[in-house]
Amino acid sequence: MAPTEELLTLDRVHQVYASGERPFFAIQDVTLALREGEFVTLVGPSGCGKSTLLRIITGLQRPSEGQVRYRGQVLRGINPHATIVFQTFALFPWLTVLENVDVALKARGLPPALRTARALDLLDRVGLDGFEGAYPRELSGGMRQKVGFARAMAVDPELLCLDEPFSALDVLSADALRGELLELWTAGKIPTRAILMVTHNIEEAVFMADRIVVMQKDPGRVVTELPVPLAHPRHRKAPAFLEMVDRVYATLAGQTQPEHVEMGSAPGEPGLKRALPDTTITDLAGFCEHVAAKPGDRADIYRLAEELRVDSDHLLRLTEAAELLGFATVTGGDIALTPLGETFAEAGILARKEICATRIRRLPLVRWLLAMLQATHEKRLERGVAQTALELDFPAEVATRQLEIIVNWGRYTELLAYDDTRDLFYLEPAGNASHLLAAGERTRGEP
Ligand code: ADP
Ligand code: MG
């Protein structure tokens, strides 16, 4: 068997979900091959379709279009050679550690006599020797996830799919478990032929993978594949390692586009709708201040993740917000504040509010909502109306989150207000009377 034999092939796979009146491309035209002996990671912003792709690969979901082949055979139904480990592995709380692994072996049809020995061996391999009789609630998060790995391993999967397996763990447990998985894999102690792992931790991807597949959203697609030409064990502080991390960030952060592309178009207008990045203005201000403290008001994006102690997903959302508001530009993995961004970072609270208001008012989604509010007689709008309108362009939960972001940004800048008890957007009439009015209305609304 040649070491480069293709295990799994995705051939022009699409996944479309119906969303309101418009089809929503969760996955667009993904072609990908996994070969024997490979450890591949999938990275990309939240919502770019990573979990969907894993479900398609393991056969839990059939794609709208395209073909999945396993060892050259078209996959129909569940892939018997693949297993998936989720962020938090669902263990049966009423079963012991040993019994939790045993159920997987039983499901495979192994006779009882063989099962116990095999389960003990699996637990031993993931370092749970001595915990066979414990119940899940008696274990730490890291140990529970190890039971999850043991149970996944029990079916001797040729293809092990991992969906952010370390992200729910504390830093130390994650580090330990990562090291143990790599050891099992590189030393050939598990029969697994290939590993496909979703992560939003870029360092983790570079630390573990032979190849990194980078995805983007709207629509969810593969933008590039980067081989990681570093021998194990890898050293996180080595220049080649840091350079690789920098390259992945550069690919993910992209490059600042012309303004009309960055902003997208408003609901009801032709053109691509862009969702607002999920971040608060307070976080954005902290982010800009941090970059402003750097020489030349510029920084390597990958270094910021560590300095600010945020994960790459959060960091990319902050970067996107800074670009969107014209506070920063991104090129080749570097972020640089614009003169406006510098001004914002150095300004006091009131000036910041004004700068943000000027910028946020121009965003298509905000412009659209403000115009709707102006058009109503009482300058108020039920949340449900805005939600329904947004659902023509976005999936329901994205529309919900977008309105929450608009509320946060709108309140910060005082561009608009929101009554939580009555689910109403409204415009503040100028002057203090507005606050009294709002308070009075709220009291009346209460039982
Ligand atoms: P990721 O794992 O990269 O965060 P997912 O694969 O979970 O992304 O989701 C990709 C996109 O598809 C998201 O916008 C999500 O809201 C949407 N989505 C996922 N599952 C469904 C579904 N069953 N119906 C409608 N939309 C879905
Ligand atoms: Mg996911």
Side-chain angles (χ1 to χ4, degrees):
M1 194 171 359
T4 53
E5 192 177 328
E6 271 187 21
L7 207 56
L8 180 108
T9 315
L10 291 178
D11 195 357
R12 317 209 68 166
V13 164
H14 297 252
Q15 181 67 59
V16 185
Y17 294 117
S19 138
E21 297 181 352
R22 199 191 57 140
F24 169 74
F25 279 86
I27 298 288
Q28 190 175 62
D29 201 12
V30 167
T31 294
L32 190 68
L34 265 175
R35 290 173 281 275
E36 287 216 16
E38 273 194 310
F39 190 140
V40 175
T41 52
L42 273 182
V43 303
S46 288
C48 71
K50 303 180 296 294
S51 297
T52 303
L53 216 49
L54 285 197
R55 285 200 300 275
I56 289 173
I57 286 169
T58 49
L60 292 172
Q61 182 173 333
R62 177 198 277 267
S64 317
E65 230 182 279
Q67 216 177 45
V68 184
R69 288 190 296 273
Y70 194 82
R71 292 196 183 280
Q73 301 285 312
V74 176
L75 182 71
R76 300 181 209 286
I78 298 283
N79 184 344
H81 307 287
T83 332
I84 187 163
V85 176
F86 298 100
Q87 187 177 48
T88 46
F89 207 90
L91 299 176
F92 300 115
W94 60 89
L95 298 182
T96 63
V97 165
L98 185 68
E99 289 163 345
N100 261 289
V101 178
D102 188 65
V103 285
L105 297 167
K106 194 172 172 182
R108 266 183 85 195
L110 250 68
L114 293 178
R115 284 196 328 244
T116 308
R118 176 99 179 95
L120 287 172
D121 174 50
L122 284 164
L123 288 169
D124 190 28
R125 280 199 249 179
V126 296
L128 280 178
D129 193 16
F131 289 91
E132 301 83 9
Y135 286 90
R137 63 168 188 280
E138 298 170 309
L139 304 179
S140 67
M143 290 165 93
R144 260 181 255 153
Q145 195 67 338
K146 285 185 186 183
V147 182
F149 275 109
R151 200 157 87 178
M153 249 44 122
V155 298
D156 282 346
E158 282 191 329
L159 174 60
L160 184 60
C161 294
L162 309 167
D163 197 350
E164 304 191 12
F166 310 114
S167 61
L169 304 178
D170 61 272
V171 178
L172 287 180
S173 313
D175 249 356
L177 201 48
R178 230 178 254 136
E180 281 159 29
L181 175 65
L182 261 187
E183 160 72 14
L184 290 173
W185 167 248
T186 52
K189 292 185 191 165
I190 42 176
T192 305
R193 295 304 175 87
I195 299 181
L196 180 62
M197 178 175 82
V198 166
T199 177
H200 58 234
N201 181 332
I202 310 299
E203 275 218 341
E204 177 176 293
V206 174
F207 188 68
M208 303 182 85
D210 302 311
R211 183 153 57 100
I212 299 177
V213 175
V214 182
M215 295 183 70
Q216 274 300 359
K217 60 181 176 177
D218 305 320
R221 63 203 190 276
V222 171
V223 283
T224 191
E225 297 188 21
L226 303 167
V228 186
L230 305 170
H232 288 288
R234 295 174 181 168
H235 302 284
R236 292 170 189 273
K237 299 288 172 219
F241 187 94
L242 292 172
E243 196 179 304
M244 192 69 217
V245 173
D246 191 18
R247 274 185 63 199
V248 180
Y249 268 109
T251 314
L252 275 171
Q255 178 146 357
T256 308
Q257 302 286 313
E259 193 181 74
H260 68 280
V261 181
E262 288 285 341
M263 300 218 305
S265 52
E269 291 175 5
L272 186 69
K273 310 296 177 294
R274 306 225 14 194
L276 300 174
D278 193 345
T279 179
T280 65
I281 301 295
T282 318
D283 279 0
L284 178 64
F287 176 71
C288 290
E289 272 174 33
H290 188 86
V291 181
K294 302 273 173 192
D297 291 337
R298 64 166 53 236
D300 250 327
I301 294 175
Y302 80 91
R303 288 189 197 278
L304 294 177
E306 195 168 293
E307 290 171 10
L308 293 166
R309 293 174 189 282
V310 295
D311 66 28
S312 65
D313 216 37
H314 191 178
L315 183 67
L316 293 169
R317 281 185 267 127
L318 288 166
T319 309
E320 199 184 326
E323 284 181 283
L324 184 67
L325 298 183
F327 293 168
T329 53
V330 173
T331 33
D334 283 357
I335 183 164
L337 292 186
T338 60
L340 182 68
E342 290 166 31
T343 314
F344 174 69
E346 285 154 18
I349 290 179
L350 281 179
R352 273 187 185 170
K353 213 173 240 206
E354 264 168 38
I355 294 171
C356 271
T358 321
R359 302 302 295 177
I360 287 173
R361 190 184 288 127
R362 303 163 67 241
L363 299 176
L365 278 184
V366 176
R367 185 160 46 78
W368 163 79
L369 192 63
L370 288 176
M372 292 227 292
L373 273 168
Q374 286 291 358
T376 59
H377 182 57
E378 299 195 291
K379 309 283 182 258
R380 64 179 66 177
L381 186 72
E382 280 170 37
R383 182 199 183 94
V385 176
Q387 173 86 23
T388 307
L390 278 190
E391 282 182 19
L392 297 178
D393 287 305
F394 299 104
E397 62 293 0
V398 176
T400 305
R401 191 67 200 133
Q402 285 296 298
L403 289 178
E404 284 162 9
I405 298 166
I406 291 177
V407 169
N408 176 276
W409 294 16
R411 279 178 175 164
Y412 181 93
T413 53
E414 295 181 19
L415 282 172
L416 52 84
Y418 185 72
D419 183 338
D420 296 287
T421 49
R422 297 167 63 189
D423 285 334
L424 276 181
F425 286 97
Y426 62 100
L427 288 177
E428 299 258 25
N432 273 345
S434 62
H435 299 292
L436 297 176
L437 173 70
E441 281 176 350
R442 228 167 270 141
T443 322
R444 253 183 283 141
E446 275 159 15

